[in-house]
């Protein structure tokens, strides 16, 4: 059976890891390089690195910080933020990323997914989608959750996979940083329309939230979290031990 992945997320602004609630109220946490190494040593299966204000500020991702992080860890690294062209894919991959996450750039130009998948392979293209409920519908938000695109999220994700995205990260703005559990309703809706790996993001507050995620949605590939790992509320070793006790397959530390 395929093991479930536990993935810490490093939201980086101005070269520092930050964390907020509902994508707002960001506070400083740590150095991305130090944190990345600590997660690798503690048993994380992968890392996700987001330059969270690159798209909003209209600039390219911090390649110097990325190179430093990539040289520090020996697990897969997914990188996103300010990815708007296949040249951005190339630059980030050359800095050490294993996969590239595209969000606002794909909203502006959906053909970017096709182009990147053709050049680098589906497994390299991660479609990250920030979703929030608006009048009972799932809407795609752009620019770090600041802008409602009006696009219906489930259909957008389905089309993204058809275009060549090999993995989906579902970021629930409604549950982000709230620590009341993953957005099971939203995640079930996404998982029902795609056959590629889906990563759940937003809402984890305790170990039991991961158990619930994988039991409620057996096909879910991974759980991603930030603050509970950053602030030592959940240790990855303890989390994996509890998942193992619940017969949820994990790579043991």
């Amino acid at each position: 059976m395929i093991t479930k992945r536990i993935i810490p997320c490093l939201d980086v602004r101005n070269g520092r890891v930050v964390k907020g609630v509902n994508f707002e109220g960001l506070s400083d946490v740590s150095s991305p390089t130090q944190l990345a190494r600590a997660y690798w040593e503690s048993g994380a299966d992968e890392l996700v690195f987001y330059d969270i204000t690159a798209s909003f500020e209209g600039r390219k991702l911090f390649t110097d910080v990325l190179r430093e992080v990539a040289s520090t860890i020996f697990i897969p690294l997914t990188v996103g933020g300010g990815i708007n062209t296949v040249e951005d894919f190339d630059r980030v991959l050359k800095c050490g990323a294993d996969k590239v996450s595209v969000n606002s750039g794909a909203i502006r130009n959906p053909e970017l997914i096709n182009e990147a998948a053709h050049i680098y392979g589906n497994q390299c293209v991660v479609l990250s989608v920030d979703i929030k409920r608006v009048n009972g519908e799932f809407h795609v938000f752009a620019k770090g959750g600041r802008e409602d695109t009006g696009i219906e999220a489930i259909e957008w994700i389905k089309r993204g996979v058809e275009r060549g995205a090999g993995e989906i990260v579902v970021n629930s703005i409604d549950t982000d940083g709230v620590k009341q559990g993953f957005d099971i309703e939203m995640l079930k809706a996404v998982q029902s329309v795609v056959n590629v790996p889906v990563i759940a993001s937003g809402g984890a507050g305790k170990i039991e939230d991961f158990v619930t995620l994988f039991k409620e949605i057996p096909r879910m590939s991974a759980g991603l979290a930030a603050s509970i790992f950053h602030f030592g509320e959940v240790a990855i070793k303890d989390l994996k031990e509890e998942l193992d006790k619940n017969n949820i397959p994990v790579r043991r530390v």
Side-chain angles (χ1 to χ4, degrees):
M1 188 178 292
I2 298 175
T3 58
K4 305 301 183 183
R5 293 172 290 155
I6 302 302
I7 306 176
C9 178
L10 308 184
D11 292 328
V12 178
R13 182 181 67 174
N14 298 328
R16 297 285 292 178
V17 177
V18 295
K19 189 69 188 93
V21 177
N22 301 126
F23 283 35
E24 297 179 350
L26 300 176
S27 59
D28 185 89
V29 175
S30 181
S31 152
T33 305
Q34 292 174 350
L35 208 52
R37 185 171 185 85
Y39 285 139
W40 166 54
E41 292 175 344
S42 67
D45 297 298
E46 297 188 14
L47 279 184
V48 169
F49 176 109
Y50 288 137
D51 185 348
I52 58 173
T53 56
S55 291
F56 178 68
E57 295 171 0
R59 59 168 172 76
K60 296 185 183 297
L61 181 144
F62 291 115
T63 52
D64 54 342
V65 175
L66 172 56
R67 282 195 186 93
E68 197 172 315
V69 169
S71 67
T72 302
I73 62 173
F74 299 94
I75 51 177
L77 176 64
T78 298
V79 177
I83 306 297
N84 296 295
T85 65
V86 289
E87 287 76 21
D88 291 329
F89 269 80
D90 186 66
R91 177 172 51 85
V92 170
L93 291 168
K94 285 178 177 175
C95 286
D98 298 284
K99 295 181 279 189
V100 182
S101 175
V102 62
N103 188 327
S104 295
I107 294 169
R108 283 189 292 272
N109 174 26
E111 190 65 25
L112 175 60
I113 301 172
N114 305 65
E115 294 172 2
H118 176 72
I119 296 170
Y120 301 107
N122 303 66
Q123 79 289 341
C124 186
V125 182
V126 179
L127 179 61
S128 179
V129 189
D130 299 332
I131 308 175
K132 184 179 175 67
R133 289 170 177 79
V134 179
N135 298 322
E137 295 184 345
F138 296 132
H139 280 204
V140 176
F141 276 64
K143 297 182 178 178
R146 294 173 177 83
E147 180 182 291
D148 183 0
T149 66
I151 298 170
E152 199 282 319
I154 307 305
E155 185 61 28
W156 166 247
I157 290 170
K158 184 179 177 182
R159 293 201 312 269
V161 172
E162 290 170 351
R163 286 182 175 276
E167 189 168 68
I168 305 295
V169 177
V170 180
N171 308 301
S172 173
I173 297 175
D174 293 319
T175 62
D176 175 70
V178 178
K179 300 183 182 180
Q180 295 299 310
F182 290 99
D183 198 327
I184 300 297
E185 178 192 23
M186 181 185 294
L187 293 165
K188 281 184 174 179
V190 172
Q191 189 73 83
S192 69
V193 299
V194 299
N195 58 3
V196 299
V198 176
I199 298 172
S201 172
K206 55 187 182 299
I207 287 176
E208 290 74 16
D209 292 333
F210 288 87
V211 176
T212 300
L213 170 69
F214 294 126
K215 286 199 167 185
E216 287 282 334
I217 316 175
R219 287 178 56 215
M220 187 61 54
S221 180
L224 180 150
S227 59
I228 61 167
F229 296 142
H230 297 343
F231 299 118
E233 296 166 43
V234 170
I236 293 174
K237 180 175 181 291
D238 296 339
L239 169 56
K240 288 192 168 185
E241 285 179 355
E242 189 62 28
L243 290 172
D244 186 55
K245 287 178 186 176
N246 281 271
N247 298 313
I248 297 168
V250 292
R251 180 183 67 85
R252 295 302 298 272
V253 179

